Amino acid sequence: TTLKDVQAKLQSMLSSQSIIVGHSLENDLQALQIVHARCVDTAILYPHSRGWPHRNGLASLSSNHLRRKLDRSAGHDSAADARTALDLALLKFK
């Protein structure tokens, strides 16, 4: 699978009205070489107490705000991270 393949798949899935939700999204968007106007980034929604450029980690945000521990024992779980970012965004917008 090439970068072009992934970009094409994303383009077929997203519209200009789609909202992308995640944590520290600029890294992912930069790696994918895409720009999207409607993004909700939990790293920005929940700023670090020391200010920019410091950021709270997703596991820390999950523990502090959702009272839920991200299980990293089996390695990185992108689906769990996505669900956690979505839950944090929804919590913020309630």
Side-chain angles (χ1 to χ4, degrees):
T1 304
T2 67
L3 175 59
K4 243 182 175 165
D5 294 334
V6 174
Q7 290 169 329
K9 181 66 173 178
L10 280 173
Q11 201 168 36
S12 74
M13 295 170 58
L14 299 173
S15 76
S16 62
Q17 298 303 305
S18 298
I19 301 170
I20 298 174
V21 178
H23 186 76
S24 294
L25 283 174
E26 78 279 359
N27 298 320
D28 300 316
L29 296 175
Q30 190 172 37
L32 291 166
Q33 299 175 12
I34 63 170
V35 175
H36 190 73
R38 298 176 64 127
C39 296
V40 175
D41 191 330
T42 54
I44 295 171
L45 283 179
Y46 294 88
H48 195 281
S49 60
R50 292 190 341 220
W52 190 257
H54 303 284
R55 299 179 202 194
N56 292 304
L58 186 60
S60 172
L61 291 174
S62 179
S63 177
N64 292 336
H65 296 281
L66 301 174
R67 306 291 180 235
R68 189 168 72 210
K69 184 178 181 198
L70 279 178
D71 182 10
R72 302 285 195 210
S73 61
H76 179 251
D77 183 342
S78 57
D81 287 359
R83 180 78 230 176
T84 299
L86 180 58
D87 289 345
L88 285 164
L90 291 171
L91 180 66
K92 192 62 143 180
F93 293 129
K94 280 186 178 178

